[in-house]
Amino acid sequence: MKFLLVEDNQELAEAVIGRMQLDGHVIDHADKIQDAIAFSETGEYDLILLDIMLPDGDGRDFLKQHRAARRNTPVIVLTARSQVSDRIGVLDLGADDYVTKPFDHAELQARCRAVLRRKAGAAQSELRMGDVRFDPVAGRLTVKDEVIDLRNRELRLLELLFNAPGQIFPKQKLVDRLFSYEEDVSENAVEVYIARLRKHLEPSELKITTHRGLGYRLDNV
């Protein structure tokens, strides 16, 4: 998954990024509202982690603008305000959840998973297609009862394809979803991960097909 973290505390931001990267997520980081707006208007994210008190304004203004633009990206607010009225306020503005600072990173990770499951409309983490079972939380792929542990980017790439079977993903879109803006990579990197997933799926009914000039698609054949 690709997240946008909007947080001006550099130490906290680095800690959150480090933990999320261990889970295989890609993180773009903005420390100002102005940068957060630029990221959200040009990138595609699965989740936004939003601080309230920022150097150039109030994160709630970003949230209001985000929802007014009919963007449905889930937002978890990171707030030092513990009053019930403050928490109700951000939920009423369109936040999907909130975490009160200081927070335990395991709790933040759990809340991220819960919000993403709600967005997908799935109460269970395991996904099934044909003779393949895929658990993106555990990072486990099961093909004909053989369990395969996936590397982080293999995991996130398969998650993208698995959640949209039949949809063609252009290479550049996959680059944008799998890597942060700070990483200098080419579309060839996507070909490497596609090749690895194809090898894992070889014994199954699922195939990743190439559509020349368009991109890749996951099919149940």
Side-chain angles (χ1 to χ4, degrees), residues 189-221:
V190 170
E191 295 177 6
V192 172
Y193 293 111
I194 289 288
R196 290 177 183 172
L197 287 183
R198 280 176 169 157
K199 186 174 181 180
H200 293 322
L201 294 171
E202 208 167 54
S204 78
E205 300 169 355
L206 300 189
K207 305 296 177 188
I208 300 174
T209 56
T210 300
H211 294 261
R212 190 172 299 277
L214 297 174
Y216 301 103
R217 186 175 73 186
L218 181 65
D219 292 310
N220 188 3
V221 298

Side-chain angles (χ1 to χ4, degrees), residues 23-48:
D23 277 351
H25 300 300
V26 178
I27 313 291
D28 282 330
H29 174 220
D31 58 8
K32 299 188 292 292
I33 290 177
Q34 181 178 356
D35 292 340
I37 292 172
F39 274 122
S40 65
E41 289 181 345
T42 57
E44 185 176 345
Y45 298 96
D46 298 290
L47 182 67
I48 297 174

Side-chain angles (χ1 to χ4, degrees), residues 46-197:
D46 298 290
L47 182 67
I48 297 174
L49 302 173
L50 175 65
D51 187 24
I52 291 298
M53 304 302 294
L54 294 159
D56 58 343
D58 192 315
R60 288 169 294 192
D61 293 331
F62 170 84
L63 178 58
K64 285 189 285 188
Q65 179 177 332
H66 184 73
R67 293 304 184 218
R70 299 185 181 277
R71 298 191 180 98
N72 61 2
T73 309
V75 177
I76 297 179
V77 169
L78 312 178
T79 176
R81 301 182 178 186
S82 58
Q83 294 294 321
V84 173
S85 59
D86 292 320
R87 300 198 297 269
I88 292 174
V90 296
L91 293 173
D92 284 343
L93 287 175
D96 295 85
D97 202 351
Y98 62 85
V99 178
T100 304
K101 297 179 183 180
F103 52 79
D104 184 275
H105 288 281
E107 178 190 0
L108 177 60
Q109 289 169 300
R111 287 182 180 271
C112 290
R113 291 193 296 270
V115 166
L116 291 169
R117 282 198 301 270
R118 290 201 299 269
K119 181 188 177 187
Q124 298 180 349
S125 61
E126 187 173 82
L127 306 172
R128 294 172 181 256
M129 188 185 303
D131 55 356
V132 172
R133 303 198 310 274
F134 174 49
D135 187 337
V137 175
R140 186 169 55 242
L141 173 68
T142 306
V143 178
K144 293 187 179 296
D145 296 324
E146 179 185 353
V147 177
I148 302 166
D149 291 320
L150 299 174
R151 300 178 184 180
N152 283 341
R153 287 205 170 95
E154 293 173 1
L155 167 64
R156 299 309 165 197
L157 175 56
L158 183 58
E159 188 172 15
L160 285 171
L161 298 173
F162 224 92
N163 283 322
Q167 177 180 328
I168 297 175
F169 285 87
K171 279 187 184 179
Q172 187 55 53
K173 182 171 184 177
L174 293 175
V175 170
D176 292 342
R177 297 299 301 277
L178 293 173
F179 301 92
S180 69
Y181 279 110
E182 295 179 353
E183 296 176 281
D184 184 17
V185 296
S186 71
E187 294 181 356
N188 292 337
V190 170
E191 295 177 6
V192 172
Y193 293 111
I194 289 288
R196 290 177 183 172
L197 287 183

